[in-house]
Amino acid sequence: CCRSNSSRIGVVNEETFKEIYSQFFPQGDSTTYAHFLFNAFDTDHNGCVSFEDFVMGLSILLRGTVQEKLNWAFNLYDINKDGYVTKEEMLDIMKAIYDMMGKCTYPVVKEDAPRQHVETFFQKMDKNKDGVVTIDEFIESCQKDENIMRSMQLFENVI
């Protein structure tokens, strides 16, 4: 479809998406998070996000049920799309969010903050301690934990 900048109207490739997204977070580096976000919006994995893809994703995030939002979030965290979220995938997303927020965050974020954040989340979510989080574990944990639900709202703010 659009691995290179195509002239198709209403369609962006990943590079264009990153350029646009970076304008919203000038204080940090949004490249990695924009990559993950692009892949979540690119539901048919054809290397481009159409206006329709984008609006469908936004619609879920803004007007969807809690279940739909959590499904969308799980898909974002499941980087390799194997149906599970590993600690490494969660850490990659968390690091990307911290990078995007930049060094100007207050209070100042410690270097190991993303890892600590992930350790806490992952312990809560990995109910059967098998080293991966399933969609059911993810949704159940999120719905039961008001801190996680609050951070889901934080997650909405970075979309």
Side-chain angles (χ1 to χ4, degrees):
C1 163
C2 62
R3 297 272 172 225
S4 63
N5 271 329
S6 84
S7 58
R8 288 186 48 205
I9 297 171
V11 173
V12 296
N13 67 3
E14 187 172 342
E15 286 313 304
T16 305
F17 186 87
K18 286 177 180 176
E19 284 170 29
I20 295 166
Y21 200 75
S22 69
Q23 294 171 26
F24 295 97
F25 297 93
Q27 75 280 14
D29 179 0
S30 64
T31 311
T32 308
Y33 188 72
H35 166 74
F36 295 138
L37 207 52
F38 179 87
N39 287 338
F41 279 116
D42 181 15
T43 50
D44 50 9
H45 311 295
N46 65 350
C48 54
V49 172
S50 68
F51 184 70
E52 186 181 356
D53 291 336
F54 188 69
V55 170
M56 296 275 285
L58 276 186
S59 176
I60 290 168
L61 292 168
L62 299 174
R63 296 172 176 249
T65 64
V66 169
Q67 179 90 18
E68 288 170 329
K69 289 178 182 182
L70 291 173
N71 275 327
W72 198 93
F74 182 85
N75 179 53
L76 174 69
Y77 279 91
D78 180 15
I79 295 170
N80 67 0
K81 309 297 178 228
D82 66 354
Y84 301 98
V85 174
T86 63
K87 196 180 284 187
E88 289 70 32
E89 286 173 316
M90 199 176 277
L91 185 59
D92 286 347
I93 297 283
M94 204 59 69
K95 279 181 180 167
I97 290 172
Y98 277 82
D99 287 348
M100 180 177 64
M101 300 319 271
K103 305 292 181 225
C104 309
T105 53
Y106 183 84
V108 175
V109 174
K110 293 183 178 65
E111 200 62 42
D112 62 343
R115 186 171 295 282
Q116 288 175 343
H117 208 127
V118 167
E119 288 294 338
T120 306
F121 272 12
F122 207 85
Q123 277 182 340
K124 288 179 183 174
M125 289 184 177
D126 186 14
K127 298 283 186 216
N128 63 359
K129 306 296 177 218
D130 64 351
V132 294
V133 174
T134 64
I135 184 109
D136 293 336
E137 286 174 320
F138 184 84
I139 289 171
E140 185 185 333
S141 300
C142 289
Q143 287 178 328
K144 282 184 178 170
D145 188 304
E146 57 186 77
N147 290 329
I148 291 175
M149 289 309 283
R150 231 179 278 125
S151 72
M152 285 297 295
Q153 289 165 338
L154 178 116
F155 162 79
E156 285 172 14
N157 294 341
V158 296
I159 290 298

